[in-house]
């Protein structure tokens, strides 16, 4: 990614592009943050469709979670709303 602070943790303001290597099959990329963020990613397979999702922290305080299906090398866009910065963690689940 063009916004990595340390492996598995993305820190950025504005926009960030996370480059995903070919997973060798259908996998789920899980991104977590304490704050709201937006994800933009191509749909898996041969679909000519881009998915955009604004994820909000859950009411129980567990944070915002985005799950993205990935089946080939791709780029996932992240957008941090407002003027502050965002921290997004690549999670295992």
């Amino acid at each position: 990614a063009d916004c990595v602070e340390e492996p598995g943790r993305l820190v950025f303001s504005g926009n960030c592009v996370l480059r995903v290597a070919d997973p060798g099959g259908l996998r789920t990329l899980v991104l977590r943050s304490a704050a709201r963020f937006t994800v933009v990613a191509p749909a898996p397979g041969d679909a000519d469709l881009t998915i955009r999702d604004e994820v909000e922290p859950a009411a129980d305080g567990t944070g915002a979670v985005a799950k993205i299906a990935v089946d080939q090398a791709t780029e996932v866009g992240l957008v941090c709303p407002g003027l502050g910065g965002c921290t997004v963690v690549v999670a295992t689940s």
Side-chain angles (χ1 to χ4, degrees):
D2 58 1
C3 47
V4 174
E5 182 173 278
E6 60 187 55
R9 185 171 175 230
L10 311 171
V11 178
F12 61 99
S13 295
N15 299 324
C16 172
V17 177
L18 175 62
R19 290 167 190 83
V20 180
D22 188 343
L26 186 61
R27 300 282 188 265
T28 302
L29 172 64
V30 180
L31 302 173
R32 296 183 178 272
S33 178
R36 172 173 64 118
F37 66 100
T38 301
V39 173
V40 180
D46 295 331
D48 188 19
L49 181 66
T50 299
I51 308 298
R52 180 181 178 91
D53 188 19
E54 295 181 19
V55 290
E56 300 276 343
D60 64 4
T62 56
V65 178
K67 296 183 179 182
I68 302 103
V70 177
D71 65 350
Q72 60 188 335
T74 191
E75 292 185 348
V76 176
L78 303 174
V79 181
C80 184
L83 299 175
C86 286
T87 299
V88 176
V89 176
V90 179
T92 56
S93 63

